[in-house]
Amino acid sequence: MRPLRYSINITLDGCCDHRAIPASEELHRHAAAILARADALLFGRVTYEMMEAAWRPARTGGGPDMPADRMDPFARTIDAAKKYVVSSSLDAVDWNAELVRGDLREAVQRLKQEPGEGLYVGGVRLPLALAELGLIDEYEFVVHPRLAGHGPTLFAGLSQYVDLTLVDRLELGSGAVAMRYEPRSRRGDRAVPRRG
């Protein structure tokens, strides 16, 4: 079974608004390496539309008019990747994408059953739903040394605790730290219900 991995950039105070995260060539290289470990990407509608607007060459003046730093390496990686989009409001998708409909648990479990190296999920709302279902096999938080003073934050409304075990840590030159975790429940521990 291929694993479902989640990675997101956040500030020290927990803000996951992409506009609050300082972009750099090193960060894009790191993100491209994460995407390269996946056979396909899984996005909700909002994240799919945001990524398409920012990184699809045809939409952003791609080709010879696109600055070289926008095409190397993250843009090429995400442009070529197979994408699955969880949405009940979109009628169709393109950009090497396919709509995912129906029961989320069943649909994602089917995708995980396919052969390959792994799936990657991005965004905020879809990962919350997947965490609730216990479907995320690896979490990566790239924590940036910045205080944003605003949200959004991750996993607001999660109904139970998800205990994690640190499996890897990487310090980036910018001072950001990428920390990878696996759910302890994968190791036989049970999730702990959150108390009001």
Side-chain angles (χ1 to χ4, degrees), residues 17-164:
D17 182 342
H18 69 279
R19 296 166 296 189
I21 305 299
S24 69
E25 181 181 333
E26 179 185 39
L27 184 62
H28 282 159
R29 277 196 318 268
H30 178 74
I34 290 168
L35 296 185
R37 292 176 57 207
D39 304 304
L41 312 179
L42 181 63
F43 294 139
R45 180 193 56 83
V46 172
T47 301
Y48 169 76
E49 289 177 343
M50 180 183 69
M51 292 299 213
E52 182 185 31
W55 298 107
R56 183 175 184 169
R59 293 265 173 108
T60 57
D65 298 331
M66 180 177 275
D69 65 332
R70 291 291 302 254
M71 284 306 292
D72 185 36
F74 181 79
R76 281 196 305 262
T77 304
I78 196 167
D79 185 54
K82 172 68 178 170
K83 299 160 196 79
Y84 294 98
V85 182
V86 177
S87 175
S88 59
S89 61
L90 291 175
D91 294 326
V93 291
D94 57 4
W95 194 39
N96 197 25
E98 181 181 317
L99 280 172
V100 173
R101 305 262 196 214
D103 182 83
L104 181 61
R105 179 189 304 270
E106 290 175 11
V108 172
Q109 284 177 331
R110 270 194 308 274
L111 291 174
K112 289 176 72 169
Q113 293 292 333
E114 293 178 10
E117 296 299 313
L119 298 164
Y120 164 85
V121 64
V124 177
R125 288 186 1 199
L126 178 58
L128 170 61
L130 295 170
E132 284 284 358
L133 296 170
L135 293 173
I136 298 177
D137 301 297
E138 183 180 290
Y139 294 79
E140 180 187 63
F141 303 101
V142 182
V143 182
H144 294 264
R146 172 175 279 183
L147 301 175
H150 64 83
T153 59
L154 298 177
F155 303 108
L158 192 65
S159 67
Q160 62 183 5
Y161 292 111
V162 177
D163 292 319
L164 305 171

